[in-house]
Amino acid sequence: MSDLPRYEYVKLADAIAADIASGKLPQGAALPGERAMTELHGVSIGTVRRAIVELRRRELVATLPAKGTYVIGAPEAAASEPNEDETA
């Protein structure tokens, strides 16, 4: 199954998640607007919208109507912190 191609929106969501994990997009940071992201990543607006939905599903971002989309979490930090506390 790993040989299957990934959808463009998943690639974009993974790229943004990597920026969040690395700290390039810290908690509270606003993502660029949809139109800006289409130009920045060279994808359609539909791809950007699906990627944002995927990031919301992963609980990495939240969208505030008429305000924008903001980082609310980190992919690895949320999963690894409780395990470290339990072993300490």
Side-chain angles (χ1 to χ4, degrees):
M1 293 189 105
S2 63
D3 294 339
L4 295 175
R6 292 187 309 156
Y7 291 106
E8 286 298 315
Y9 80 93
V10 175
K11 291 179 187 178
L12 179 56
D14 289 345
I16 296 169
D19 286 346
I20 294 170
S22 72
K24 185 176 179 181
L25 287 170
Q27 189 168 2
L31 268 58
E34 290 177 347
R35 290 184 186 158
M37 288 179 69
T38 62
E39 294 175 11
L40 182 65
H41 296 285
V43 296
S44 72
I45 197 159
T47 298
V48 170
R49 288 177 178 162
R50 288 187 73 182
I52 291 171
V53 168
E54 176 66 16
L55 292 167
R56 283 198 306 256
R57 186 190 67 76
R58 298 181 193 181
E59 299 180 350
L60 298 177
V61 301
T63 301
L64 302 174
K67 298 290 182 186
T69 301
Y70 297 87
V71 176
I72 60 169
E76 297 301 319
S80 65
E81 285 178 9
N83 292 339
E84 290 174 11
D85 291 340
E86 290 174 4
T87 60

